[in-house]
């Protein structure tokens, strides 16, 4: 089933990135948020990203304007959901918040509409439990920045039907992405569990005084060809997200995922990464 109209709930980093991605594939997009103050930053970011594509010549100026015009920004959930063939939710990673959103989405859309949640770590089954039709809820884990990263991790909730899982994979392909499927709804799925093991080990090596974070990042870039080291990447995605992930994974898998003290301390101090001007590194001088 080809999606022609997509509703995205949440206009933060992932929400507006997913909206841009869909609009770039010719899909009509409605991005919902509770407060239109968030739209300013989201629109600037979409514009900045499209300008990069225009400068590279992969998108023309006219196409860029069409893409922008394909996105409707609204604080009215009814407007966002009207005629949508699929909904992708991308609100903050708080279970109770996502559950509340899914109670609303389920009540306000036809049961045939696909409902996907963008989460890196929360249980799809728990989120879906807030819906009367939990079988249509799936996980769609995008990577930041969604317009650049090539993968979507699709997660099967305990009650997700085969049809909805297949439609989720098809939607990711329609968005131009490769997919992997996490067949069992387990904490951290595939990718968050794997990357957190690496990140926490890098932080421990730093805490043990064995290497500086600069050298650990250099090692990841030059020894393994990772585009960013784990400290740089954590600053890019947010230390608060990593701390929450570490705690969730510790609960599921034990002490090997326990949060290192230096991560806990930085989050307590409000040093959450690029978004707050400092995290592992200091960004106060950069734009
Ligand atoms: N919009 C459009 N194009 C963009 C872009 C954006 N927002 N960001 C980067 N690009 C393009 C650049 O134009 C460039 O294209 P080119 O190679 O064709 O010229 C390419 O991406 C690389 O960009 P740069 O050379 O300018 O280098 P950057 O430092 O800007 O690259 C990066 C940024 C693409 C983010 C790269 O550093 C990278 O891949 N980092 C790793 C990102 C990653 O691991 N993301 C996953 C994080 S985990 C996650 O998201 C899960 C979540 O649940 C927490």
């Amino acid at each position: 089933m080809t999606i022609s109209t997509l509703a995205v709930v949440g206009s933060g980093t992932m929400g507006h990135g997913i909206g841009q991605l869909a609009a770039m594939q010719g899909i009509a997009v409605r991005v919902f948020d509770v407060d239109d103050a968030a739209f300013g930053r989201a629109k600037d970011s979409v514009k900045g990203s499209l300008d990069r594509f225009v400068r590279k010549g992969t998108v023309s100026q006219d196409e860029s304007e069409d893409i922008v015009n394909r996105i409707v920004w609204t604080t009215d959930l009814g407007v966002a959901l009207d005629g949508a063939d699929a909904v992708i939710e991308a609100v903050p990673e708080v279970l109770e918040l996502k559950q509340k959103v899914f109670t609303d989405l389920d009540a306000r859309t036809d049961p045939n509409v696909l409902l996907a949640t963008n989460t890196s770590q929360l249980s799809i089954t728990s989120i879906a439990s807030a819906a009367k039709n939990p079988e249509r809820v799936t996980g769609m884990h995008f990577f930041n920045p969604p317009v650049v990263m090539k993968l979507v991790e699709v997660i099967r909730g305990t009650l997700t039907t085969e049809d909805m899982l297949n439609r989720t994979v098809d939607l990711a392909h329609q968005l131009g992405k490769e997919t992997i499927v996490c067949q069992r709804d387990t904490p951290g799925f595939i990718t968050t569990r794997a990357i957190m093991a690496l990140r926490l080990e890098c932080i421990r090596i730093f805490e043990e005084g064995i290497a500086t974070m600069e050298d650990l990042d250099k090692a990841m870039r030059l020894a393994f060809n990772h585009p960013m080291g784990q400290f740089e990447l954590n600053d890019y995605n947010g230390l608060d997200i990593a701390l929450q992930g570490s705690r969730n994974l510790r609960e599921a898998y034990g002490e090997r995922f326990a949060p290192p003290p230096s991560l806990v301390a930085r989050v307590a101090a409000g040093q959450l990464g690029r978004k707050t001007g400092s995290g592992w590194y200091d960004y106060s001088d950069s734009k």
Side-chain angles (χ1 to χ4, degrees):
M1 178 181 164
T2 306
I3 301 297
S4 18
T5 305
L6 176 73
V8 179
V9 177
S11 69
T13 306
M14 299 310 284
H16 73 250
I18 295 166
Q20 179 190 341
L21 173 68
M24 290 177 78
Q25 301 299 325
I27 298 173
V29 177
R30 285 82 176 271
V31 180
F32 166 83
D33 214 316
V34 282
D35 178 358
D36 59 8
F39 294 149
R41 192 180 147 262
K43 286 180 190 171
D44 284 351
S45 172
V46 169
K47 168 116 191 17
S49 170
L50 287 171
D51 286 348
R52 287 173 86 151
F53 287 113
V54 170
R55 276 199 301 277
K56 265 195 296 187
T58 47
V59 169
S60 71
Q61 190 57 47
D62 284 354
E63 278 167 340
S64 166
E65 281 158 26
D66 289 347
I67 292 163
V68 167
N69 291 332
R70 237 173 255 139
I71 308 176
V72 170
W73 306 89
T74 178
T75 54
D76 183 335
L77 188 59
V79 169
L81 298 178
D82 188 33
D85 311 303
V87 183
I88 301 178
E89 164 276 319
V91 304
E93 293 269 44
V94 177
L95 178 62
E96 296 71 24
L97 176 61
K98 287 193 185 261
Q99 286 177 324
K100 188 183 167 316
V101 168
F102 273 83
T103 303
D104 280 358
L105 294 178
D106 185 55
R108 298 176 71 158
T109 53
D110 184 279
N112 191 40
V113 171
L114 169 68
L115 302 181
T117 173
N118 174 67
T119 176
S120 62
Q121 50 191 295
L122 296 176
S123 161
I124 310 305
T125 311
S126 301
I127 294 170
S129 69
K132 282 211 180 84
N133 302 285
E135 66 285 347
R136 62 167 160 155
V137 178
T138 62
M140 249 185 138
H141 181 199
F142 287 84
F143 299 87
N144 187 24
V147 290
V148 175
M149 303 305 285
K150 296 190 174 75
L151 188 74
V152 173
E153 178 176 29
V154 174
I155 304 111
R156 183 199 288 273
T158 304
L159 299 176
T160 305
T161 60
E162 202 60 30
D163 175 49
M164 286 297 175
L165 188 82
N166 291 337
R167 280 167 59 181
T168 309
V169 169
D170 289 347
L171 172 56
H173 291 165
Q174 194 186 338
L175 295 174
K177 300 299 175 191
E178 295 279 341
T179 52
I180 54 170
V181 177
C182 182
Q183 298 288 356
R184 203 144 45 88
D185 184 17
T186 43
F189 317 129
I190 304 165
T191 56
T192 304
R193 184 170 163 186
I195 199 69
M196 282 302 288
L198 176 62
R199 178 163 312 151
L200 296 175
E201 211 50 47
C202 285
I203 298 173
R204 287 187 202 110
I205 294 171
F206 160 68
E207 284 183 351
E208 286 164 23
I210 293 166
T212 60
M213 32 185 155
E214 288 82 356
D215 273 1
L216 277 153
D217 279 348
K218 194 174 183 180
M220 294 304 121
R221 279 188 268 104
L222 303 188
F224 305 116
N225 258 356
H226 292 184
M228 288 175 166
Q230 284 303 308
F231 295 93
E232 296 167 312
L233 183 55
N234 195 193
D235 277 349
Y236 186 64
N237 277 332
L239 275 66
D240 48 336
I241 309 284
L243 180 58
Q244 190 193 1
S246 167
R247 287 183 170 144
N248 290 344
L249 292 173
R250 175 202 216 166
E251 213 174 297
Y253 303 112
E255 289 310 297
R256 70 185 203 265
F257 283 104
S262 58
L263 175 63
V264 177
R266 279 174 172 76
V267 173
Q271 296 176 313
L272 306 184
R274 284 180 177 270
K275 60 187 171 187
T276 59
S278 75
W280 296 105
Y281 296 107
D282 182 29
Y283 302 91
S284 47
D285 284 344
S286 52
K287 278 199 220 157

